[in-house]
Amino acid sequence: MTKGRDMRDVAAEYVEYFDFDFGDSGMTLTLAKEAPSEISTILKDLFGNSSQESLVKLYEALNIISEADDVFSCEVDEKVISLPLFCRVVRYLDETANK
């Protein structure tokens, strides 16, 4: 699915599969049922789980990557996702896109 594609395009595509649910207890982030299995793989391999916190971190990373002119010099909000983890997401997407 991602072979030969730019990682920014892949990140932008993956962002589309995140849904916001607004309920009485606030907003929660979920993955759409039709989300590609690669997103679940990223969550498992890099975050260890698909908790709400992991979804938020991945969503933030994917948004940054999809909007960055240069992913290696973009601004990362470390209150949301640590720089080392962000770099792992970048590396993962780059490797996947170039397989």
Side-chain angles (χ1 to χ4, degrees):
M1 178 177 188
T2 58
K3 184 175 180 174
R5 295 178 56 202
D6 184 277
M7 81 170 108
R8 291 176 296 170
D9 293 336
V10 173
E13 178 185 325
Y14 287 174
V15 164
E16 296 297 319
Y17 291 101
F18 285 80
D19 293 322
F20 292 93
D21 292 328
F22 298 94
D24 294 334
S25 61
M27 186 218 42
T28 57
L29 196 57
T30 59
L31 274 179
K33 291 182 185 194
E34 63 274 358
S37 63
E38 292 92 346
I39 297 174
S40 294
T41 301
I42 293 170
L43 286 164
K44 179 182 163 210
D45 290 353
L46 300 184
F47 297 88
N49 60 56
S50 58
S51 68
Q52 185 62 207
E53 181 179 351
S54 295
L55 286 170
V56 169
K57 289 178 181 183
L58 181 56
Y59 181 80
E60 176 75 3
L62 292 172
N63 270 307
I64 292 169
I65 294 165
S66 70
E67 295 174 0
D69 291 329
D70 179 5
V71 297
F72 299 106
S73 63
C74 60
E75 191 171 321
V76 175
D77 185 351
E78 291 200 65
K79 293 176 192 160
V80 180
I81 184 169
S82 69
L83 187 57
L85 187 52
F86 173 79
C87 291
R88 289 178 62 198
V89 173
V90 169
R91 189 172 33 239
Y92 192 97
L93 285 181
D94 188 44
E95 289 171 1
T96 301
N98 290 303
K99 280 188 179 178

